[in-house]
Amino acid sequence: MQDEERALFSAGTQGDSALPMKSRGVGMHLGQSWLCCSLSSPVPGPGPHHEDPEHCDYVLVANTAARRKPGLARKQQQFLKELRMKGFRVKEVEDGKKVFFGIWAEKSVSEQYCMLLETQEATPITTRIRIFNFILNSELGFTDTFQDLVKCGVFETSFPLHQEEKKKFLKKEWACWTQLCAKKQPIDSIRDYFGEKVALYFAWLGWYTCMLIPAAGAGLLIFLSGFFHFNASQISKEICSAHDIFMCPRGDHSHKFQRLSDTCTFAKLTHLFDNEGTVAFAIFMALWATVFLEFWKRKRAQVVQHWDLYGWDEEEEEMALALINSPHYQLKQQQHSYLRSTAILLLSLLMICLMIGMAHLLVVYRVLAAAAFGSLDLPFLQVTTAVVVTGALVHYMMILIMTKLNKYVALKLCDLEQPRTFSERESKFTIKFFTLQFFAHFSSLIYIAFILGRINGHPGKSVRLAGQWKLEECHLSGCMMDLFVQMAVIMGLKQTLSNCVEYLSPWLTLKWRSMQARWDRPADPELQVWRQNYRLNSVYTFSLFDEFMEMMIQYGFTTIFVAAFPLAPLLAFFSNLVETRLDAIKMLRLQRCLVPRKAKDIGTWLQVLEIIGVLAVIANGMVIAFTSDFIPRVVYKYHYGPCRRGTLPGLDCLTGYINHSLSVFHTKDLPISIKGTENENVTECSPTPRYRDYRNSHNYNFSKQFWVLLAIRLAFLILFEHVALCIKLIAAWFVPDVPQSVKNKVLEQKYERLRKMMRPGLQRPPGSPLPPSCSLRSTAV
C-alpha cells in the first residue's frame, strides 16, 4: 500500500514540489501559545549554523546485489551521471550489503532558485533538499523517475538527513514529554527544520488546542449542571416512582413486560447531557466553530507575513523548480474532461453507497446481537448495554478497515482525474478521501440519531428484518443515550488506542532495528550518521496528511454531534496535548526527516473545516429537534401541562409528562407467540401497558400530538439553523480574516518595492511636461 501511495504521488514531474522559501531576516522565533491565544514572546533558537558546503544533504541507498546485474548497474550509473550534470555532487560508500550515496548540491543550484523567485534564502540547506527531492521525483534524461528505479531494484530508498545541531535544540525545547503542558512551541525553529507546511500544522494544532479550552469549559458546565440536578429532574422523579407502569416488550429476546421504574438510572444519566442547556450549548458551539476559524485565519496571516510568504505563488514556484530541473521544460496546460468527471462522480457515489451499506450491516449486527444475547437469559438492561457497546466496537473495526480501502480508492480516483501539479493532486485527493472517511465515521451515528426506533412500527405489528428478526429500538430513556454511548466509545478508542499504536509501532520498530545493528558500528562517523537515519522509520507523502485527517475527524466529532456528547471538546483537549508531543517526537526521533515543503496556509483543510462547521449546525439542530426530548418537553410545558394557563406555586410544569408521552397498548392485541402465563399478572396490575410513541389507543395510528410535535420540530429546526447560520455570518463579518497590521505591512512593502524600482535618472522633475506618449489627448465629439 505504501508503494502504491508513493508511486501515485510521485508520478510525472511534480513530486513533492511545493518548496519553501525562507523569509528575509529570520531571527525571531514565534511561540505558538497552547494555553494563551495570543502570540507568545520570542523563543530563543539555536545559534548561527555555518553549513559545510561538503556536508551531505540527501542519501540514496542501494543493494550491492544490483551492481552484479549489468542492466541495473548501467541504470544506476546513468542516473548518478544525470545528477552530476545538474549540479549535484555524489559521495559513494559501500557498507556490507548496502551502498550509500551521499548527495549535496553545488552553490549554483540554490542561487538559481533564489534568482528565479527573487528571494534570499536564510538557510540554503533546506532549499537544496527540496530542489533535489523535486528533481529526484522528476523524469531525468532517460525518462525514468527515482520511483521507477526503485521498482526495478536499482535503488532501495532515499531520504534527507536530520540536521543534528538543530535537532538537539528541538529535542530539548519541543519533542519531549516534559514539555507536555508547555505554553508555547518554537514555530520558527520548526519551520527552519521541517518547512512551512509542517510548521503551519503544529501552529494550527496549537491554536486548535488553545481554542478548545472555552468549548471544553462550556461542555463541562452543561454536564455538571445536569449532575447537580441529578435527583431534581421532574422527569427522572416520575420515572423512578413509576412502579405501576409496565412497558411493552422491546425485542424478541424477552417477552416480559418491564417496569418503567427499572430505567431510573438511565433516565438520570440521560439528564446529564439532555437538559435545558443543550440548545444553548449547541448554538455556542456553532459560534465557537466560526470564531475558531476566523481567528485562525488572522493568526495564519500574522505568521505567514512574518515569514515573508504573504504574496507567495505556488504555481510560480512549481514552474521555477521545473525550469531548474530542465531548461527545456514545457508548461503543462490545464485540462478538463466531462467524461472523466462523470466517471469520478459515479465511482464516488458508489463508494458512498458502500459506506451507507456498511452502516446497514451494523444495523443487522445489532439486531442479531440482541437476539444472541437475549438467548443467554441475561437481564434486559445488560442485553441493551452489551448490544450498544459491542456495536460501537464493531463500528470502530469497520472504520479501521474502510480507511485503508478509502485511501486506495481516493488515490485511484485522483490518478484518473490527472491533475496538472502535485499541489492540485493533493487538494483533489484531500476532498475525495475526507468525503469517504466522513461517511465511514458518521454513517452509523446518523442512523442512531435520526433513523433508529422510528421505522419499527408498534407493539403487535413490528417491522422485522427478513420477516424474522425485530428491528432494534431506542433505549427506554431515549435515543440520546444510544448516541452518547456510540460517540463515547468510538471517540475514546480513536483518541487512546489509535495514539498508542501510532507511537508504539514506530518506537518498537526502531528499537528492533537498533538492536540488530548494535554490534556493527562503522569507523567512518559520517557513515554512522547515514546508517542511523536509514534505520529510522520511513516517511511518505501521507505522513503529514494522515495527521491532518486524524485531526479533521476529531474536529467533526467535537462539533457535529456535540449536542449529544458535550464532553467531546474536553476529551479532544486532553488528547491534543498528547497528540502534539507525540507527533513531535515521532517526526524528530522515530522517523526519517520529512522533506521541507513550502506553504502559506493549511490548504484544502481550511475548506474542510468550513464544511464541518456548516454540517455541525445542521446536525445539532436535527439532534435537538428529533433525537432529544427537548421539543416534547417544551410543548408539554406550555401547551398540555398543568402550567398552560400560568405557573402554579409548588408545582413543576413538567408534572405528568411521562404519562402524557407514553402510548397505550392493549394486551389482547399481542401476538399469540408472546402471550403466556408470564404476562397474566400484568393485565391485573396494569391493564394498559405503555410504549414510547404518540399513537392512538384504538387503532395505533399516529395521534394528533404526534403531528403537532412534528410541525414544531420542523419549525424549530428551520429557526435554529437560520439563527445559528446568521450568527456564524455575523461573526465571520465582525472578525476580519487579516489583521490591519498585516495589511498595512504588506502595503508598506509594496510601496517600498516600487520606490526602489524608480531610478533617479527616470524621475521627472516637478513641473516638467509629460512625455508625448503619457500626455492627455482631447477628443472632439
Side-chain angles (χ1 to χ4, degrees), residues 443-736:
S443 56
S444 69
L445 297 178
I446 294 173
Y447 166 78
I448 293 174
F450 310 124
I451 301 177
L452 178 63
R454 292 170 175 81
I455 57 174
N456 296 55
H458 58 82
K461 189 179 181 181
S462 301
V463 177
R464 294 180 176 272
L465 183 65
Q468 183 175 359
W469 295 287
K470 186 177 180 181
L471 291 181
E472 185 186 8
E473 298 182 17
C474 289
H475 195 273
L476 288 176
S477 59
C479 288
M480 286 286 280
M481 174 61 71
D482 294 294
L483 187 59
F484 175 86
V485 173
Q486 186 86 354
M487 286 193 64
V489 172
I490 295 177
M491 192 172 181
L493 286 175
K494 284 191 67 65
Q495 303 306 316
T496 54
L497 184 60
S498 297
N499 282 346
C500 291
V501 174
E502 182 182 351
Y503 177 75
L504 290 177
S505 178
W507 183 78
L508 292 174
T509 303
L510 178 59
K511 287 295 182 182
W512 172 251
R513 292 176 179 173
S514 300
M515 289 175 60
Q516 287 181 321
R518 177 176 298 176
W519 306 110
D520 184 17
R521 297 180 180 272
D524 186 354
E526 188 174 28
L527 179 59
Q528 175 68 14
V529 173
W530 295 358
R531 293 185 61 182
Q532 288 175 353
N533 282 261
Y534 173 72
R535 286 196 296 267
L536 296 174
N537 293 275
S538 301
V539 292
Y540 302 97
T541 304
F542 288 113
S543 295
L544 183 61
F545 182 92
D546 289 339
E547 305 300 338
F548 264 117
M549 179 60 72
E550 182 182 355
M551 288 296 102
M552 293 300 138
I553 296 298
Q554 185 208 80
Y555 183 77
F557 277 107
T558 306
T559 54
I560 293 181
F561 288 102
V562 71
F565 190 34
L567 295 180
L570 183 64
L571 182 60
F573 172 75
F574 288 114
S575 174
N576 286 359
L577 289 179
V578 177
E579 179 73 22
T580 305
R581 299 305 163 186
L582 188 150
D583 289 344
I585 294 173
K586 186 173 61 176
M587 290 184 184
L588 202 65
R589 296 169 178 254
L590 305 179
Q591 292 179 344
R592 295 171 186 168
C593 186
L594 287 167
V595 175
R597 293 184 55 194
K598 187 175 181 178
K600 65 177 180 180
D601 52 36
I602 59 175
T604 311
W605 296 115
L606 185 63
Q607 301 175 20
V608 171
L609 290 171
E610 292 175 344
I611 293 173
I612 291 176
V614 175
L615 292 176
V617 173
I618 299 173
N620 284 303
M622 294 182 67
V623 166
I624 296 173
F626 296 102
T627 311
S628 169
D629 286 337
F630 173 78
I631 299 298
R633 290 197 301 260
V634 172
V635 172
Y636 177 82
K637 186 175 183 179
Y638 296 104
H639 186 66
Y640 296 108
C643 298
R644 60 183 180 274
R645 293 190 178 91
T647 57
L648 301 175
L651 180 66
D652 193 291
C653 293
L654 289 176
T655 301
Y657 170 77
I658 294 300
N659 184 66
H660 174 80
S661 63
L662 297 177
S663 297
V664 175
F665 182 77
H666 301 287
T667 55
K668 63 183 179 62
D669 297 326
L670 281 172
I672 299 177
S673 59
I674 64 174
K675 285 183 178 180
T677 56
E678 61 181 2
N679 296 322
E680 291 177 358
N681 293 333
V682 174
T683 306
E684 299 175 2
C685 300
S686 177
T688 54
R690 318 299 287 273
Y691 60 98
R692 286 179 61 91
D693 210 341
Y694 290 92
R695 293 179 180 269
N696 298 318
S697 59
H698 56 282
N699 57 8
Y700 305 118
N701 291 328
F702 290 119
S703 64
K704 178 182 177 181
Q705 288 87 346
F706 172 85
W707 299 109
V708 170
L709 283 175
L710 180 61
I712 295 177
R713 289 178 195 269
L714 294 174
F716 170 83
L717 177 62
I718 296 173
L719 179 63
F720 176 87
E721 292 181 355
H722 280 71
V723 170
L725 290 176
C726 286
I727 292 175
K728 286 174 64 68
L729 292 175
I730 293 174
W733 166 81
F734 187 77
V735 182

Side-chain angles (χ1 to χ4, degrees), residues 128-315:
R128 297 197 302 265
I129 291 175
R130 292 183 286 265
I131 294 175
F132 178 74
N133 185 75
F134 179 86
I135 295 174
L136 196 67
N137 292 286
S138 303
E139 294 180 356
L140 297 181
F142 53 96
T143 68
D144 277 343
T145 66
F146 182 79
Q147 297 305 323
D148 295 330
L149 299 179
V150 170
K151 290 180 180 180
C152 296
V154 178
F155 291 97
E156 178 186 341
T157 187
S158 65
F159 51 87
L161 292 174
H162 281 284
Q163 306 169 45
E164 294 301 324
E165 184 175 341
K166 296 179 181 179
K167 185 177 180 180
K168 291 179 181 178
F169 169 77
L170 291 176
K171 278 185 177 180
K172 179 181 178 182
E173 300 293 333
W174 179 56
C176 58
W177 292 113
T178 57
Q179 299 292 328
L180 183 64
C181 297
K183 293 183 178 181
K184 49 197 172 185
Q185 301 180 84
I187 297 299
D188 269 4
S189 297
I190 298 172
R191 177 238 182 174
D192 290 340
Y193 194 92
F194 289 109
E196 287 82 355
K197 198 172 187 68
V198 174
L200 281 172
Y201 164 73
F202 282 102
W204 175 84
L205 182 56
W207 184 257
Y208 172 41
T209 305
C210 164
M211 291 295 291
L212 278 173
I213 295 177
L220 184 61
L221 182 64
I222 294 297
F223 191 83
L224 291 178
S225 65
F227 181 78
F228 290 142
H229 298 86
F230 195 73
N231 296 315
S233 171
Q234 177 63 28
I235 297 176
S236 299
K237 290 180 180 179
E238 291 188 2
I239 291 177
C240 295
S241 60
H243 302 290
D244 57 343
I245 297 180
F246 288 83
M247 304 297 292
C248 294
R250 294 177 59 247
D252 295 332
H253 54 274
S254 176
H255 296 166
K256 294 181 179 180
F257 288 87
Q258 183 185 6
R259 295 181 187 272
L260 180 60
S261 58
D262 293 343
T263 64
C264 174
T265 303
F266 286 95
K268 292 181 178 180
L269 292 176
T270 302
H271 186 69
L272 294 178
F273 48 86
D274 185 13
N275 51 55
E276 290 73 12
T278 304
V279 177
F281 179 63
I283 296 178
F284 170 81
M285 288 303 296
L287 177 62
W288 174 87
T290 302
V291 171
F292 161 67
L293 284 180
E294 295 304 315
F295 275 97
W296 161 247
K297 294 175 184 177
R298 291 173 60 85
K299 183 168 184 61
R300 178 209 64 87
Q302 292 175 338
V303 174
V304 171
Q305 195 278 329
H306 167 69
W307 290 343
D308 200 15
L309 293 178
Y310 194 80
W312 169 70
D313 190 334
E314 187 171 8
E315 289 188 350

Side-chain angles (χ1 to χ4, degrees), residues 290-432:
T290 302
V291 171
F292 161 67
L293 284 180
E294 295 304 315
F295 275 97
W296 161 247
K297 294 175 184 177
R298 291 173 60 85
K299 183 168 184 61
R300 178 209 64 87
Q302 292 175 338
V303 174
V304 171
Q305 195 278 329
H306 167 69
W307 290 343
D308 200 15
L309 293 178
Y310 194 80
W312 169 70
D313 190 334
E314 187 171 8
E315 289 188 350
E316 182 180 357
E317 172 149 329
E318 291 192 355
M319 287 186 287
L321 291 168
L323 288 171
I324 292 175
N325 178 47
S326 174
H328 306 291
Y329 165 74
Q330 295 296 323
L331 182 64
K332 186 178 180 181
Q333 301 293 330
Q334 296 280 0
Q335 296 180 355
H336 180 266
S337 171
Y338 287 102
L339 180 61
R340 283 201 304 266
S341 299
T342 302
I344 292 171
L345 178 60
L346 293 177
L347 291 174
S348 300
L349 292 176
L350 181 63
M351 281 300 299
I352 292 175
C353 291
L354 177 61
M355 298 297 107
I356 298 175
M358 297 299 289
H360 284 78
L361 289 180
L362 184 62
V363 174
V364 173
Y365 165 79
R366 293 174 64 134
V367 172
L368 297 179
F373 286 122
S375 63
L376 301 177
D377 294 330
L378 297 175
F380 175 76
L381 294 180
Q382 293 184 13
V383 172
T384 303
T385 305
V387 170
V388 173
V389 174
T390 57
L393 292 174
V394 171
H395 183 206
Y396 177 73
M397 297 302 298
M398 289 170 54
I399 288 174
L400 296 180
I401 296 173
M402 295 308 299
T403 296
K404 296 184 179 296
L405 178 61
N406 290 340
K407 182 179 289 186
Y408 177 81
V409 172
L411 279 169
K412 290 297 184 182
L413 293 176
C414 189
D415 190 52
L416 178 63
E417 199 166 1
Q418 298 179 359
R420 191 180 69 87
T421 62
F422 172 79
S423 58
E424 184 179 345
R425 178 185 294 268
E426 187 179 36
S427 177
K428 292 180 181 296
F429 172 76
T430 300
I431 295 297
K432 294 176 177 61

